[in-house]
Amino acid sequence: MMTSSKQFDRRFAKRSTRAARRVLGALLLSAMLVWPAFAAPVTLNLKEVEINALVESMSALTGKNFIVDPRVKGRVTIISAKPMDERELYEVFLSVLGVHGFAAIPSGKVIKIVPAAGAKQENIPTVDQRGGAEPDQIVTRVIQVQNVSAAQIVPILRPLIPPQGHLAAYTPTNVLIISDAAANVERIASIIARVDLASNEEVEIVPLRHASATEITRVLTALEQGRVKADPAATAGTPPRMVADERTNSILLSGDKASRLRLRTLITHLDTPVDSGGNTQVVYLRYAKAKSLVTVLQGVSKSLSNEAARNAPVPGQTVAAPPGGGSGSSGGGGLVDIQADDATNSLVITAPPELIRSLRSVIAQLDVRRAQVLVEAVIAEISAEKTAELGVQWVVSSNNAIGFTNFDAGTSSLANIVGLAAQADEDGLSALSAARIPQGLQLGVGSVAGGVGAIISALAKDADTNVLSTPTLVTLDNEEAEIIVGQNVPLVTGSYTTSTSSGSSSSNTTSQIGNPFQTIQREDVGVILKVKPQINEGNAVKLEITQKVSNVVPSANAATQGLTFNKREIKTSVLVENGQILVLGGLIDDKLDESASKVPLLGDVPLLGNLFRYRNTAKKKTNLMVFLHPVILRDPGQGTLHTSDKYSYIREQQLAARTREVSLLPDVQPPVLKPREEVKAQGTILDTQPPVAPTPAPVASAPQKVAEPVEFGFGNK
């Protein structure tokens, strides 16, 4: 297909235009390449020129060395109306690079031309506010922020930084780090200078004369919170802040001038004296006992009233009236009345406002949680007793003479044994008195009718005692507590009997006993622990201890002379560290008693002298010690820890006892405490679940009738 002559001419004209442009561009570039650096200004006009060619031209015009990244490609167009010198040409060159997404980074004697996205990771220069970098030069600048938080400015300035730039805050030194073109960095710095201004907030102290600073602060805080919720736009900026200083009864205001003026006006209107010169407040206590604090507070109020009276103005002097009219309330100018309400454990105080504030400060320091003290007293007693008796007693009786040896041997004496033998021979063994039967072996040789030849008495006794008692008691700091584990034993302290006479004649008078009575006193016998702890500064505990252990000693003459007690008691005051074991006292006793009875001369004869002797040896050794172990329970966690140990110990003992079955009642099991997990889950240590009766097995031959359960689930009707 043939092409027309018009189309051919049009294509030729286009090709000629493109060729002309290339020729003109080449000529211009050739002229620029040969232009010396000190030549006259150049008017730069380029259109669709390769950027690499522009870099070559800038190197020739400015004398700078460039390294071009392979990613730097594209065509540029520059239009200028007036000549430019070397400095202006380089600024235009940097601007052209920035427009096309490239950056020039000085690196020693060369300048690297790289994509702008990675320029911030290169060795770009770091400048300050006096730096003279070119406007389009990529630089890094550190700006110190003085009055506002640098982290709060970052979200505001982020939209002003291009994607290839960098903006970050370093919180510890409150500075901003910016990497971008020098002109944009300077613009960001000027914006920061306008934002980083000192706040007009000041702190103002407003002293109060009549009202309570705490109450006024509470009222104004609630008012400001309601105002913010109602109109958030009206409270733009930092809201005012108020803090009450109870010691000086002042309010600290912080905020702008308008807010502080508004709040100060409200405080002035609220700080007015009460018309009656006093008021009444109810103070609810958390830990202290209201009745115990009344005496202390009355003494404090009296001291404060006397001090206020001493500071009162001298009569005759002119005193300015307080604002709002009326007389100002002073510590001693009004009625002071303090009452305790046991039902709610609270104090009702009627006094002037200034005195009430002082009393509330005292109450706050006294009404604190007190620590508890766990006191364990360990009474350890080990005793061993050994007794041995051996002796021979003789008796000879006939019609003409009688002779015998009788030693002081208690129920083993010759007279007692002979009497028992005669009674047994006459009335039988059933007539013997158990109280007079001697201990040990009694062997007689001879005949009662013809006279007993000899009686041999022998006895050996061994007794060991090992007693360990650990009474435990928990009480509050400075509170006395007592635990008693034992019996209340009656003691007869006296008796009285009156005799009356009856009968018609004096010769036939009979006496009768009338109105007999006895006086009895009871005494606690067992383990008694009485303690009053006082926690000192640190972990030391001062303890006033009374430890008493007593028991009744069985005695044959108790009916006539009363009961005999073994008693061990310690009463002392000690200072113990928390968790320390301290010995309170004790007794180490080693006693040896030896006695021998013999017939003179005959008892000294070797070997045969043993027939005329009676020897008794008793050795008793006693070791008794009382130890103390206090533990301070400052929080509920420590109390739970020690309670869990005791609880687990008792439960383990009960489980061990359950393994021993009751032979006569095989279905009965000893009680056992619930596991701690169930106690925590159910909230009680009592087993409130009723026992469930076993379900009877169904009988297949006959239909079963449904029985109604008896109340409480103990069985079926």
Side-chain angles (χ1 to χ4, degrees):
M1 182 176 176
M2 298 297 293
T3 306
S4 62
S5 60
K6 293 182 179 180
Q7 293 177 348
F8 178 79
D9 295 339
R10 191 176 301 166
R11 291 180 180 177
F12 180 77
K14 290 182 178 179
R15 292 178 181 177
S16 300
T17 305
R18 293 177 182 173
R21 291 179 180 175
R22 293 178 181 176
V23 172
L24 291 175
L27 292 174
L28 181 58
L29 288 176
S30 300
M32 295 170 59
L33 289 174
V34 299
W35 201 280
F38 51 87
V42 178
T43 302
L44 190 60
N45 287 297
L46 300 177
K47 187 174 184 181
E48 296 293 332
V49 179
E50 292 290 340
I51 194 169
N52 291 327
L54 178 61
V55 173
E56 294 177 2
S57 302
M58 287 297 107
S59 178
L61 292 174
T62 60
K64 299 180 183 293
N65 301 321
F66 295 97
I67 298 177
V68 183
D69 191 280
R71 294 170 292 179
V72 177
K73 295 180 181 179
R75 295 179 177 274
V76 299
T77 300
I78 303 175
I79 301 174
S80 63
K82 62 177 182 177
M84 295 177 288
D85 57 12
E86 178 184 347
R87 184 173 179 277
E88 293 174 343
L89 284 174
Y90 189 70
E91 292 181 0
V92 171
F93 175 66
L94 295 178
S95 300
V96 171
L97 293 178
V99 170
H100 289 79
F102 305 114
I105 303 174
S107 178
K109 296 182 179 181
V110 299
I111 299 175
K112 296 186 293 184
I113 300 177
V114 297
K120 58 186 177 183
Q121 300 173 356
E122 298 290 340
N123 187 21
I124 59 178
T126 301
V127 299
D128 53 13
Q129 59 183 355
R130 297 183 301 273
E134 303 296 338
D136 291 309
Q137 176 68 49
I138 302 297
V139 296
T140 298
R141 182 170 174 181
V142 180
I143 301 177
Q144 179 69 52
V145 183
Q146 301 292 340
N147 302 296
V148 297
S149 174
Q152 294 179 354
I153 302 178
V154 170
I156 301 174
L157 301 178
R158 181 72 68 184
L160 304 179
I161 303 296
Q164 63 270 19
H166 175 74
L167 173 64
Y170 184 62
T171 308
T173 56
N174 200 42
V175 297
L176 288 173
I177 302 175
I178 306 175
S179 293
D180 199 7
N184 195 35
V185 171
E186 188 64 28
R187 182 173 69 100
I188 298 298
S190 63
I191 296 175
I192 295 174
R194 296 186 180 185
V195 175
D196 187 23
L197 299 177
S199 175
N200 59 349
E201 292 187 4
E202 295 182 2
V203 178
E204 185 176 353
I205 301 176
V206 181
L208 303 182
R209 296 181 56 192
H210 310 288
S212 172
T214 304
E215 293 297 323
I216 296 295
T217 303
R218 182 183 60 82
V219 173
L220 294 181
T221 302
L223 179 64
E224 289 297 317
Q225 291 176 353
R227 181 169 173 266
V228 171
K229 292 180 180 179
D231 188 8
T235 58
T238 304
R241 294 181 297 273
M242 292 166 287
V243 178
D245 181 21
E246 296 183 359
R247 187 181 65 86
T248 60
N249 195 37
S250 304
I251 299 178
L252 280 70
L253 295 178
S254 175
D256 57 88
K257 186 175 182 180
S259 299
R260 288 186 280 108
L261 179 60
R262 176 173 52 84
L263 292 175
R264 191 166 62 248
T265 303
L266 294 176
I267 293 173
T268 304
H269 287 291
L270 293 176
D271 186 25
T272 55
V274 182
D275 296 338
S276 59
N279 59 359
T280 301
Q281 291 189 14
V282 179
V283 181
Y284 294 96
L285 303 180
R286 297 177 298 172
Y287 305 106
K289 192 175 181 180
K291 184 176 291 186
S292 302
L293 287 183
V294 170
T295 305
V296 178
L297 295 178
Q298 286 177 348
V300 172
S301 62
K302 184 177 180 181
S303 300
L304 294 175
S305 300
N306 294 337
E307 182 180 356
R310 289 193 299 268
N311 296 332
V314 180
Q317 292 183 351
T318 302
V319 181
S327 59
S329 60
S330 62
L335 177 64
V336 178
D337 183 42
I338 305 174
Q339 300 292 335
D341 182 27
D342 293 336
T344 59
N345 193 35
S346 58
L347 295 170
V348 182
I349 304 176
T350 301
E354 295 181 2
L355 186 56
I356 286 182
R357 288 193 297 270
S358 301
L359 293 178
R360 290 183 71 97
S361 176
V362 174
I363 294 172
Q365 299 179 52
L366 295 177
D367 186 24
V368 295
R369 180 188 178 97
R370 289 188 291 172
Q372 301 182 102
V373 180
L374 169 67
V375 181
E376 290 180 312
V378 180
I379 302 103
E381 180 178 359
I382 301 175
S383 62
E385 182 178 359
K386 296 181 182 296
T387 304
E389 297 181 13
L390 179 62
V392 179
Q393 301 177 68
W394 292 87
V395 61
V396 177
S397 64
S398 63
N399 295 330
N400 298 324
I402 183 173
F404 58 87
T405 60
N406 188 16
F407 301 109
D408 185 12
T411 56
S412 298
S413 64
L414 178 62
N416 182 39
I417 295 175
V418 171
L420 289 175
Q423 185 177 2
D425 184 63
E426 181 180 354
D427 300 332
L429 295 177
S430 61
L432 294 177
S433 175
R436 296 178 57 198
I437 296 178
Q439 296 180 353
L441 174 65
Q442 309 295 330
L443 181 62
V445 180
S447 172
V448 176
V452 176
I455 296 177
I456 301 175
S457 300
L459 172 65
K461 182 179 179 182
D462 237 343
D464 292 328
T465 303
N466 188 349
V467 179
L468 179 64
S469 301
T470 57
T472 304
L473 195 60
V474 178
T475 180
L476 283 173
D477 183 22
N478 280 319
E479 291 290 340
E480 186 178 23
E482 181 180 9
I483 182 173
I484 301 176
V485 181
Q487 295 178 332
N488 192 262
V489 179
L491 300 176
V492 178
T493 58
S495 62
Y496 181 75
T497 304
T498 59
S499 60
T500 60
S501 60
S502 62
S504 58
S505 61
S506 60
S507 60
N508 296 326
T509 301
T510 60
S511 60
Q512 297 180 354
I513 298 176
N515 300 327
F517 68 89
Q518 291 180 334
T519 57
I520 296 177
Q521 178 182 353
R522 293 186 174 272
E523 183 174 348
D524 294 328
V525 176
V527 179
I528 301 175
L529 173 63
K530 185 183 296 184
V531 59
K532 183 178 181 180
Q534 178 182 346
I535 302 176
N536 297 338
E537 185 177 0
N539 288 325
V541 184
K542 180 183 178 183
L543 294 169
E544 296 180 5
I545 293 286
T546 301
Q547 176 66 60
K548 181 179 179 182
V549 180
S550 59
N551 62 295
V552 179
V553 179
S555 178
N557 57 359
T560 58
Q561 299 180 2
L563 300 177
T564 302
F565 296 94
N566 285 333
K567 187 175 181 181
R568 295 168 290 279
E569 183 176 0
I570 293 178
K571 186 175 183 181
T572 181
S573 297
V574 294
L575 188 65
V576 194
E577 292 294 325
N578 180 27
Q580 179 188 359
I581 299 178
L582 182 68
V583 59
L584 293 182
L587 170 67
I588 299 178
D589 186 17
D590 196 350
K591 183 178 180 182
L592 177 63
D593 292 333
E594 290 183 340
S595 62
S597 300
K598 63 181 179 179
V599 176
L601 299 179
L602 295 178
D604 296 330
V605 177
L607 297 178
L608 294 179
N610 292 326
L611 300 177
F612 300 94
R613 294 179 187 173
Y614 192 91
R615 289 171 293 177
N616 187 350
T617 303
K619 179 178 176 61
K620 185 175 182 181
K621 185 175 182 180
T622 302
N623 294 321
L624 172 65
M625 287 293 168
V626 180
F627 301 92
L628 190 68
H629 179 224
V631 177
I632 301 176
L633 308 179
R634 298 189 183 276
D635 51 52
Q638 292 179 325
T640 302
L641 177 62
H642 291 277
T643 303
S644 300
D645 293 342
K646 303 295 183 183
Y647 191 90
S648 300
Y649 172 76
I650 294 297
R651 175 174 166 77
E652 290 174 0
Q653 297 298 318
Q654 291 178 338
L655 291 175
R658 175 170 283 190
T659 58
R660 300 186 295 270
E661 297 182 355
V662 182
S663 58
L664 298 180
L665 299 174
D667 296 334
V668 176
Q669 292 184 346
V672 178
L673 292 173
K674 295 194 303 184
R676 287 180 294 171
E677 295 76 10
E678 295 184 8
V679 173
K680 185 176 181 180
Q682 300 176 5
T684 176
I685 62 175
L686 299 178
D687 193 359
T688 57
Q689 299 294 333
V692 180
T695 305
V699 180
S701 59
Q704 297 295 322
K705 181 180 179 182
V706 179
E708 296 181 357
V710 179
E711 187 177 2
F712 303 116
F714 287 109
N716 296 332
K717 292 183 179 179

